[in-house]
Amino acid sequence: KYNDLVREGDYYRIASFSKNKEYDAWEVAAKDGSECLVAYVSVNAGLNRKGRALKLYGLDKDAVYREEETGMTYHGDTLMNAGIYMKEMKGDFRSKLVHFTRV
């Protein structure tokens, strides 16, 4: 489903488990800013941790994006400056993919 995007898009490393010891996050954005796919992995969940905001890259700041799973819409500048909120998942090695497409 995401083959062309992953193969041809621009890759961004948002966070590295080797540095923060909690989670990994990366993004692949289409070169034209039409869509992006965000992968988030909660490697070491810990106790009573809150979620976190992940700032995205490579989007059109003036465009509106729809999140595939929920249908919620966000402005590109919001996704790149404030980010998307990822709720903390219970248990280690939990993951989530989030796909945004320009409306």
Side-chain angles (χ1 to χ4, degrees), residues 30-78:
K31 292 192 183 297
D32 66 357
S34 62
E35 65 178 323
C36 75
L37 181 67
V38 180
Y40 172 78
V41 180
S42 178
V43 179
N44 184 8
L47 297 173
N48 297 321
R49 288 197 181 137
K50 296 180 181 178
R52 58 189 41 91
L54 302 177
K55 293 181 182 181
L56 306 186
Y57 301 90
L59 301 176
D60 179 353
K61 67 181 178 97
D62 298 319
V64 174
Y65 292 86
R66 181 178 317 281
E67 198 271 307
E68 183 179 273
E69 186 178 323
T70 65
M72 292 184 64
T73 57
Y74 304 87
H75 286 94
D77 61 345
T78 301

Side-chain angles (χ1 to χ4, degrees), residues 6 10-17 23-29 36-43 54-57 84 95-98:
V6 171
D10 293 329
Y11 173 84
Y12 299 95
R13 185 66 182 232
I14 297 172
S16 174
F17 172 74
Y23 66 100
D24 263 323
W26 56 94
E27 172 193 4
V28 179
C36 75
L37 181 67
V38 180
Y40 172 78
V41 180
S42 178
V43 179
L54 302 177
K55 293 181 182 181
L56 306 186
Y57 301 90
I84 58 168
S95 63
K96 182 170 183 152
L97 279 177
V98 184

Side-chain angles (χ1 to χ4, degrees), residues 85-86 88 101:
Y85 183 74
M86 301 299 284
E88 188 60 39
T101 54

